[in-house]
PDB file of all heavy atoms in Angstrom:
ATOM      1  N   VAL A 988      91.050  94.794  94.015  1.00 95.00           N
ATOM      2  CA  VAL A 988      91.560  94.134  95.177  1.00 95.00           C
ATOM      3  C   VAL A 988      90.553  93.281  95.840  1.00 95.00           C
ATOM      4  O   VAL A 988      90.772  92.225  96.271  1.00 95.00           O
ATOM      5  CB  VAL A 988      92.144  95.154  96.242  1.00 95.00           C
ATOM      6  CG1 VAL A 988      92.443  94.483  97.534  1.00 95.00           C
ATOM      7  CG2 VAL A 988      93.324  95.992  95.613  1.00 95.00           C
ATOM      8  N   VAL A 989      89.253  93.663  95.780  1.00 94.00           N
ATOM      9  CA  VAL A 989      88.169  92.779  96.283  1.00 94.00           C
ATOM     10  C   VAL A 989      88.029  91.428  95.514  1.00 94.00           C
ATOM     11  O   VAL A 989      88.006  90.457  96.109  1.00 94.00           O
ATOM     12  CB  VAL A 989      86.850  93.617  96.165  1.00 94.00           C
ATOM     13  CG1 VAL A 989      85.678  92.606  96.533  1.00 94.00           C
ATOM     14  CG2 VAL A 989      86.835  94.657  97.221  1.00 94.00           C
ATOM     15  N   VAL A 990      88.160  91.641  94.172  1.00 94.00           N
ATOM     16  CA  VAL A 990      88.101  90.393  93.330  1.00 94.00           C
ATOM     17  C   VAL A 990      89.291  89.479  93.550  1.00 94.00           C
ATOM     18  O   VAL A 990      89.173  88.331  93.695  1.00 94.00           O
ATOM     19  CB  VAL A 990      87.988  90.771  91.918  1.00 94.00           C
ATOM     20  CG1 VAL A 990      88.174  89.584  90.953  1.00 94.00           C
ATOM     21  CG2 VAL A 990      86.706  91.497  91.553  1.00 94.00           C
ATOM     22  N   ALA A 991      90.438  90.178  93.713  1.00 94.00           N
ATOM     23  CA  ALA A 991      91.699  89.471  93.996  1.00 94.00           C
ATOM     24  C   ALA A 991      91.580  88.684  95.339  1.00 94.00           C
ATOM     25  O   ALA A 991      91.991  87.549  95.491  1.00 94.00           O
ATOM     26  CB  ALA A 991      92.927  90.335  93.937  1.00 94.00           C
ATOM     27  N   ASP A 992      91.091  89.345  96.314  1.00 92.00           N
ATOM     28  CA  ASP A 992      90.882  88.768  97.738  1.00 92.00           C
ATOM     29  C   ASP A 992      90.027  87.564  97.632  1.00 92.00           C
ATOM     30  O   ASP A 992      90.258  86.674  98.493  1.00 92.00           O
ATOM     31  CB  ASP A 992      90.304  89.898  98.658  1.00 92.00           C
ATOM     32  CG  ASP A 992      90.363  89.407 100.070  1.00 92.00           C
ATOM     33  OD1 ASP A 992      91.389  88.737 100.449  1.00 92.00           O
ATOM     34  OD2 ASP A 992      89.442  89.723 100.903  1.00 92.00           O
ATOM     35  N   GLN A 993      89.110  87.508  96.776  1.00 91.00           N
ATOM     36  CA  GLN A 993      88.180  86.258  96.688  1.00 91.00           C
ATOM     37  C   GLN A 993      88.939  85.070  96.196  1.00 91.00           C
ATOM     38  O   GLN A 993      88.547  83.906  96.429  1.00 91.00           O
ATOM     39  CB  GLN A 993      87.019  86.621  95.768  1.00 91.00           C
ATOM     40  CG  GLN A 993      86.083  87.668  96.270  1.00 91.00           C
ATOM     41  CD  GLN A 993      85.128  88.020  95.312  1.00 91.00           C
ATOM     42  OE1 GLN A 993      85.041  87.695  94.084  1.00 91.00           O
ATOM     43  NE2 GLN A 993      84.107  88.817  95.671  1.00 91.00           N
ATOM     44  N   ARG A 994      90.167  85.317  95.589  1.00 92.00           N
ATOM     45  CA  ARG A 994      90.915  84.189  95.049  1.00 92.00           C
ATOM     46  C   ARG A 994      92.043  83.735  96.058  1.00 92.00           C
ATOM     47  O   ARG A 994      92.810  82.919  95.747  1.00 92.00           O
ATOM     48  CB  ARG A 994      91.553  84.537  93.775  1.00 92.00           C
ATOM     49  CG  ARG A 994      90.522  84.829  92.689  1.00 92.00           C
ATOM     50  CD  ARG A 994      91.129  85.148  91.371  1.00 92.00           C
ATOM     51  NE  ARG A 994      90.170  85.393  90.333  1.00 92.00           N
ATOM     52  CZ  ARG A 994      90.382  85.512  89.021  1.00 92.00           C
ATOM     53  NH1 ARG A 994      91.764  85.560  88.583  1.00 92.00           N
ATOM     54  NH2 ARG A 994      89.499  85.809  88.143  1.00 92.00           N
ATOM     55  N   GLY A 995      92.121  84.512  97.153  1.00 91.00           N
ATOM     56  CA  GLY A 995      93.086  84.149  98.172  1.00 91.00           C
ATOM     57  C   GLY A 995      93.991  85.434  98.511  1.00 91.00           C
ATOM     58  O   GLY A 995      94.127  86.353  97.935  1.00 91.00           O
ATOM     59  N   ARG A 996      94.747  85.113  99.686  1.00 91.00           N
ATOM     60  CA  ARG A 996      95.517  86.111 100.259  1.00 91.00           C
ATOM     61  C   ARG A 996      96.683  86.491  99.275  1.00 91.00           C
ATOM     62  O   ARG A 996      96.963  87.615  99.162  1.00 91.00           O
ATOM     63  CB  ARG A 996      96.022  85.635 101.632  1.00 91.00           C
ATOM     64  CG  ARG A 996      96.835  86.733 102.336  1.00 91.00           C
ATOM     65  CD  ARG A 996      97.289  86.171 103.696  1.00 91.00           C
ATOM     66  NE  ARG A 996      98.147  87.085 104.407  1.00 91.00           N
ATOM     67  CZ  ARG A 996      97.742  88.207 105.206  1.00 91.00           C
ATOM     68  NH1 ARG A 996      96.446  88.340 105.231  1.00 91.00           N
ATOM     69  NH2 ARG A 996      98.465  88.905 105.779  1.00 91.00           N
ATOM     70  N   LEU A 997      97.313  85.497  98.694  1.00 94.00           N
ATOM     71  CA  LEU A 997      98.471  85.776  97.784  1.00 94.00           C
ATOM     72  C   LEU A 997      97.951  86.690  96.577  1.00 94.00           C
ATOM     73  O   LEU A 997      98.694  87.525  96.236  1.00 94.00           O
ATOM     74  CB  LEU A 997      99.060  84.517  97.297  1.00 94.00           C
ATOM     75  CG  LEU A 997      99.883  83.747  98.443  1.00 94.00           C
ATOM     76  CD1 LEU A 997     100.362  82.410  97.764  1.00 94.00           C
ATOM     77  CD2 LEU A 997     101.059  84.570  98.934  1.00 94.00           C
ATOM     78  N   ALA A 998      96.820  86.353  96.039  1.00 93.00           N
ATOM     79  CA  ALA A 998      96.303  87.145  94.946  1.00 93.00           C
ATOM     80  C   ALA A 998      96.048  88.575  95.373  1.00 93.00           C
ATOM     81  O   ALA A 998      96.402  89.447  94.572  1.00 93.00           O
ATOM     82  CB  ALA A 998      95.035  86.529  94.455  1.00 93.00           C
ATOM     83  N   LYS A 999      95.529  88.820  96.567  1.00 92.00           N
ATOM     84  CA  LYS A 999      95.315  90.156  97.065  1.00 92.00           C
ATOM     85  C   LYS A 999      96.652  90.805  97.250  1.00 92.00           C
ATOM     86  O   LYS A 999      96.741  92.033  96.832  1.00 92.00           O
ATOM     87  CB  LYS A 999      94.643  90.120  98.462  1.00 92.00           C
ATOM     88  CG  LYS A 999      94.275  91.523  99.029  1.00 92.00           C
ATOM     89  CD  LYS A 999      93.550  91.318 100.355  1.00 92.00           C
ATOM     90  CE  LYS A 999      93.247  92.737 100.921  1.00 92.00           C
ATOM     91  NZ  LYS A 999      92.501  92.576 102.272  1.00 92.00           N
ATOM     92  N   ILE A1000      97.671  90.197  97.755  1.00 94.00           N
ATOM     93  CA  ILE A1000      98.999  90.898  97.917  1.00 94.00           C
ATOM     94  C   ILE A1000      99.591  91.174  96.516  1.00 94.00           C
ATOM     95  O   ILE A1000     100.144  92.256  96.358  1.00 94.00           O
ATOM     96  CB  ILE A1000      99.931  89.943  98.737  1.00 94.00           C
ATOM     97  CG1 ILE A1000      99.432  89.758 100.135  1.00 94.00           C
ATOM     98  CG2 ILE A1000     101.322  90.438  98.663  1.00 94.00           C
ATOM     99  CD1 ILE A1000     100.225  88.731 100.962  1.00 94.00           C
ATOM    100  N   ALA A1001      99.323  90.296  95.618  1.00 94.00           N
ATOM    101  CA  ALA A1001      99.927  90.459  94.254  1.00 94.00           C
ATOM    102  C   ALA A1001      99.262  91.736  93.639  1.00 94.00           C
ATOM    103  O   ALA A1001      99.849  92.487  92.910  1.00 94.00           O
ATOM    104  CB  ALA A1001      99.767  89.259  93.395  1.00 94.00           C
ATOM    105  N   ALA A1002      97.893  91.807  93.803  1.00 94.00           N
ATOM    106  CA  ALA A1002      97.189  92.912  93.260  1.00 94.00           C
ATOM    107  C   ALA A1002      97.698  94.245  93.789  1.00 94.00           C
ATOM    108  O   ALA A1002      97.934  95.166  93.022  1.00 94.00           O
ATOM    109  CB  ALA A1002      95.691  92.808  93.551  1.00 94.00           C
ATOM    110  N   PHE A1003      97.907  94.307  95.139  1.00 93.00           N
ATOM    111  CA  PHE A1003      98.422  95.502  95.798  1.00 93.00           C
ATOM    112  C   PHE A1003      99.868  95.794  95.121  1.00 93.00           C
ATOM    113  O   PHE A1003     100.150  96.999  94.896  1.00 93.00           O
ATOM    114  CB  PHE A1003      98.592  95.311  97.294  1.00 93.00           C
ATOM    115  CG  PHE A1003      97.385  95.774  98.053  1.00 93.00           C
ATOM    116  CD1 PHE A1003      96.758  94.803  98.895  1.00 93.00           C
ATOM    117  CD2 PHE A1003      96.903  96.986  97.969  1.00 93.00           C
ATOM    118  CE1 PHE A1003      95.565  95.235  99.532  1.00 93.00           C
ATOM    119  CE2 PHE A1003      95.856  97.404  98.622  1.00 93.00           C
ATOM    120  CZ  PHE A1003      95.128  96.524  99.493  1.00 93.00           C
ATOM    121  N   VAL A1004     100.698  94.805  95.040  1.00 96.00           N
ATOM    122  CA  VAL A1004     101.997  95.105  94.515  1.00 96.00           C
ATOM    123  C   VAL A1004     102.020  95.640  93.133  1.00 96.00           C
ATOM    124  O   VAL A1004     102.766  96.527  92.736  1.00 96.00           O
ATOM    125  CB  VAL A1004     102.792  93.773  94.563  1.00 96.00           C
ATOM    126  CG1 VAL A1004     104.209  93.912  93.707  1.00 96.00           C
ATOM    127  CG2 VAL A1004     103.154  93.325  96.027  1.00 96.00           C
ATOM    128  N   VAL A1005     101.027  95.037  92.225  1.00 95.00           N
ATOM    129  CA  VAL A1005     101.049  95.473  90.795  1.00 95.00           C
ATOM    130  C   VAL A1005     100.455  96.965  90.784  1.00 95.00           C
ATOM    131  O   VAL A1005     101.064  97.735  89.960  1.00 95.00           O
ATOM    132  CB  VAL A1005     100.141  94.541  90.043  1.00 95.00           C
ATOM    133  CG1 VAL A1005      99.723  95.184  88.685  1.00 95.00           C
ATOM    134  CG2 VAL A1005     100.751  93.175  89.861  1.00 95.00           C
ATOM    135  N   LEU A1006      99.401  97.179  91.575  1.00 95.00           N
ATOM    136  CA  LEU A1006      98.814  98.652  91.616  1.00 95.00           C
ATOM    137  C   LEU A1006      99.854  99.631  92.114  1.00 95.00           C
ATOM    138  O   LEU A1006      99.877 100.688  91.544  1.00 95.00           O
ATOM    139  CB  LEU A1006      97.603  98.649  92.455  1.00 95.00           C
ATOM    140  CG  LEU A1006      96.398  97.903  91.918  1.00 95.00           C
ATOM    141  CD1 LEU A1006      95.331  97.890  92.877  1.00 95.00           C
ATOM    142  CD2 LEU A1006      95.961  98.328  90.553  1.00 95.00           C
ATOM    143  N   ALA A1007     100.539  99.233  93.219  1.00 95.00           N
ATOM    144  CA  ALA A1007     101.643 100.133  93.699  1.00 95.00           C
ATOM    145  C   ALA A1007     102.694 100.366  92.704  1.00 95.00           C
ATOM    146  O   ALA A1007     103.295 101.470  92.465  1.00 95.00           O
ATOM    147  CB  ALA A1007     102.175  99.594  94.968  1.00 95.00           C
ATOM    148  N   GLY A1008     103.093  99.302  92.026  1.00 96.00           N
ATOM    149  CA  GLY A1008     104.164  99.478  90.996  1.00 96.00           C
ATOM    150  C   GLY A1008     103.719 100.425  89.769  1.00 96.00           C
ATOM    151  O   GLY A1008     104.537 101.139  89.334  1.00 96.00           O
ATOM    152  N   LEU A1009     102.449 100.172  89.279  1.00 95.00           N
ATOM    153  CA  LEU A1009     101.986 101.091  88.315  1.00 95.00           C
ATOM    154  C   LEU A1009     101.957 102.516  88.732  1.00 95.00           C
ATOM    155  O   LEU A1009     102.323 103.532  87.975  1.00 95.00           O
ATOM    156  CB  LEU A1009     100.606 100.571  87.859  1.00 95.00           C
ATOM    157  CG  LEU A1009     100.506  99.248  87.128  1.00 95.00           C
ATOM    158  CD1 LEU A1009      99.016  98.822  86.975  1.00 95.00           C
ATOM    159  CD2 LEU A1009     101.122  99.310  85.736  1.00 95.00           C
ATOM    160  N   ALA A1010     101.466 102.724  89.956  1.00 95.00           N
ATOM    161  CA  ALA A1010     101.316 104.189  90.489  1.00 95.00           C
ATOM    162  C   ALA A1010     102.852 104.705  90.542  1.00 95.00           C
ATOM    163  O   ALA A1010     103.129 105.895  90.125  1.00 95.00           O
ATOM    164  CB  ALA A1010     100.694 104.173  91.821  1.00 95.00           C
ATOM    165  N   ALA A1011     103.777 103.989  91.139  1.00 95.00           N
ATOM    166  CA  ALA A1011     105.163 104.445  91.231  1.00 95.00           C
ATOM    167  C   ALA A1011     105.783 104.691  89.892  1.00 95.00           C
ATOM    168  O   ALA A1011     106.657 105.648  89.759  1.00 95.00           O
ATOM    169  CB  ALA A1011     105.941 103.438  92.037  1.00 95.00           C
ATOM    170  N   THR A1012     105.416 103.931  88.869  1.00 95.00           N
ATOM    171  CA  THR A1012     106.087 104.004  87.553  1.00 95.00           C
ATOM    172  C   THR A1012     105.520 105.112  86.656  1.00 95.00           C
ATOM    173  O   THR A1012     106.212 105.894  86.025  1.00 95.00           O
ATOM    174  CB  THR A1012     106.008 102.625  86.780  1.00 95.00           C
ATOM    175  OG1 THR A1012     106.584 101.672  87.630  1.00 95.00           O
ATOM    176  CG2 THR A1012     106.761 102.675  85.497  1.00 95.00           C
ATOM    177  N   PHE A1013     104.145 105.205  86.719  1.00 94.00           N
ATOM    178  CA  PHE A1013     103.490 106.086  85.648  1.00 94.00           C
ATOM    179  C   PHE A1013     102.879 107.339  86.350  1.00 94.00           C
ATOM    180  O   PHE A1013     102.945 108.408  85.669  1.00 94.00           O
ATOM    181  CB  PHE A1013     102.440 105.319  84.962  1.00 94.00           C
ATOM    182  CG  PHE A1013     102.958 104.155  84.158  1.00 94.00           C
ATOM    183  CD1 PHE A1013     102.773 102.816  84.635  1.00 94.00           C
ATOM    184  CD2 PHE A1013     103.518 104.410  82.981  1.00 94.00           C
ATOM    185  CE1 PHE A1013     103.286 101.800  83.784  1.00 94.00           C
ATOM    186  CE2 PHE A1013     104.098 103.333  82.182  1.00 94.00           C
ATOM    187  CZ  PHE A1013     103.994 102.089  82.606  1.00 94.00           C
ATOM    188  N   VAL A1014     102.367 107.310  87.501  1.00 96.00           N
ATOM    189  CA  VAL A1014     101.653 108.329  88.065  1.00 96.00           C
ATOM    190  C   VAL A1014     102.531 109.391  88.923  1.00 96.00           C
ATOM    191  O   VAL A1014     102.566 110.461  88.564  1.00 96.00           O
ATOM    192  CB  VAL A1014     100.471 107.957  89.028  1.00 96.00           C
ATOM    193  CG1 VAL A1014      99.729 109.040  89.594  1.00 96.00           C
ATOM    194  CG2 VAL A1014      99.581 106.894  88.204  1.00 96.00           C
ATOM    195  N   VAL A1015     103.282 108.753  89.881  1.00 96.00           N
ATOM    196  CA  VAL A1015     104.021 109.641  90.752  1.00 96.00           C
ATOM    197  C   VAL A1015     104.988 110.478  89.924  1.00 96.00           C
ATOM    198  O   VAL A1015     105.098 111.725  90.212  1.00 96.00           O
ATOM    199  CB  VAL A1015     104.730 108.815  91.899  1.00 96.00           C
ATOM    200  CG1 VAL A1015     105.670 109.656  92.649  1.00 96.00           C
ATOM    201  CG2 VAL A1015     103.674 108.181  92.715  1.00 96.00           C
ATOM    202  N   PRO A1016     105.861 109.945  89.043  1.00 96.00           N
ATOM    203  CA  PRO A1016     106.864 110.791  88.376  1.00 96.00           C
ATOM    204  C   PRO A1016     106.176 111.917  87.533  1.00 96.00           C
ATOM    205  O   PRO A1016     106.625 113.103  87.528  1.00 96.00           O
ATOM    206  CB  PRO A1016     107.490 109.859  87.414  1.00 96.00           C
ATOM    207  CG  PRO A1016     107.408 108.526  88.051  1.00 96.00           C
ATOM    208  CD  PRO A1016     106.004 108.496  88.691  1.00 96.00           C
ATOM    209  N   ARG A1017     105.033 111.507  86.883  1.00 95.00           N
ATOM    210  CA  ARG A1017     104.336 112.577  86.093  1.00 95.00           C
ATOM    211  C   ARG A1017     103.775 113.685  86.912  1.00 95.00           C
ATOM    212  O   ARG A1017     103.860 114.944  86.528  1.00 95.00           O
ATOM    213  CB  ARG A1017     103.275 111.914  85.215  1.00 95.00           C
ATOM    214  CG  ARG A1017     102.701 112.905  84.267  1.00 95.00           C
ATOM    215  CD  ARG A1017     101.668 112.255  83.378  1.00 95.00           C
ATOM    216  NE  ARG A1017     101.091 113.137  82.331  1.00 95.00           N
ATOM    217  CZ  ARG A1017     101.544 113.330  81.213  1.00 95.00           C
ATOM    218  NH1 ARG A1017     102.570 112.513  80.723  1.00 95.00           N
ATOM    219  NH2 ARG A1017     101.064 114.221  80.276  1.00 95.00           N
ATOM    220  N   TRP A1018     103.112 113.320  88.013  1.00 97.00           N
ATOM    221  CA  TRP A1018     102.473 114.249  88.941  1.00 97.00           C
ATOM    222  C   TRP A1018     103.532 115.138  89.633  1.00 97.00           C
ATOM    223  O   TRP A1018     103.380 116.296  89.844  1.00 97.00           O
ATOM    224  CB  TRP A1018     101.639 113.613  89.967  1.00 97.00           C
ATOM    225  CG  TRP A1018     100.387 113.187  89.353  1.00 97.00           C
ATOM    226  CD1 TRP A1018      99.881 113.109  88.076  1.00 97.00           C
ATOM    227  CD2 TRP A1018      99.127 112.746  90.061  1.00 97.00           C
ATOM    228  NE1 TRP A1018      98.695 112.767  87.875  1.00 97.00           N
ATOM    229  CE2 TRP A1018      98.104 112.450  89.072  1.00 97.00           C
ATOM    230  CE3 TRP A1018      98.865 112.470  91.408  1.00 97.00           C
ATOM    231  CZ2 TRP A1018      96.915 111.950  89.401  1.00 97.00           C
ATOM    232  CZ3 TRP A1018      97.626 112.107  91.844  1.00 97.00           C
ATOM    233  CH2 TRP A1018      96.651 111.889  90.850  1.00 97.00           C
ATOM    234  N   TRP A1019     104.647 114.564  89.902  1.00 96.00           N
ATOM    235  CA  TRP A1019     105.846 115.268  90.542  1.00 96.00           C
ATOM    236  C   TRP A1019     106.342 116.324  89.578  1.00 96.00           C
ATOM    237  O   TRP A1019     106.464 117.427  89.948  1.00 96.00           O
ATOM    238  CB  TRP A1019     106.923 114.342  90.988  1.00 96.00           C
ATOM    239  CG  TRP A1019     108.134 115.029  91.625  1.00 96.00           C
ATOM    240  CD1 TRP A1019     109.266 115.448  90.890  1.00 96.00           C
ATOM    241  CD2 TRP A1019     108.253 115.385  93.021  1.00 96.00           C
ATOM    242  NE1 TRP A1019     110.061 116.090  91.834  1.00 96.00           N
ATOM    243  CE2 TRP A1019     109.513 116.037  93.037  1.00 96.00           C
ATOM    244  CE3 TRP A1019     107.582 115.199  94.122  1.00 96.00           C
ATOM    245  CZ2 TRP A1019     110.039 116.478  94.297  1.00 96.00           C
ATOM    246  CZ3 TRP A1019     108.017 115.749  95.359  1.00 96.00           C
ATOM    247  CH2 TRP A1019     109.341 116.295  95.353  1.00 96.00           C
ATOM    248  N   THR A1020     106.530 115.893  88.292  1.00 95.00           N
ATOM    249  CA  THR A1020     107.013 116.889  87.398  1.00 95.00           C
ATOM    250  C   THR A1020     105.812 117.978  86.995  1.00 95.00           C
ATOM    251  O   THR A1020     106.140 119.187  86.985  1.00 95.00           O
ATOM    252  CB  THR A1020     107.383 116.153  86.108  1.00 95.00           C
ATOM    253  OG1 THR A1020     108.331 115.177  86.348  1.00 95.00           O
ATOM    254  CG2 THR A1020     107.897 117.118  85.031  1.00 95.00           C
TER     255      THR A1020
END
């Protein structure tokens, strides 16, 4: 996120969205189960 923020606000938001999506897709379901 720090590196993305250096490229601009939109890049930082995009990084957050991608990371949140990966967590919701791969981590949360596996850990819940």
Side-chain angles (χ1 to χ4, degrees):
V988 173
V989 168
V990 172
D992 188 39
Q993 294 172 353
R994 299 185 177 183
R996 183 178 179 84
L997 289 178
K999 180 180 180 180
I1000 294 174
F1003 270 122
V1004 170
V1005 171
L1006 294 176
L1009 290 173
T1012 303
F1013 298 105
V1014 180
V1015 174
R1017 186 179 184 93
W1018 283 11
W1019 177 266
T1020 302

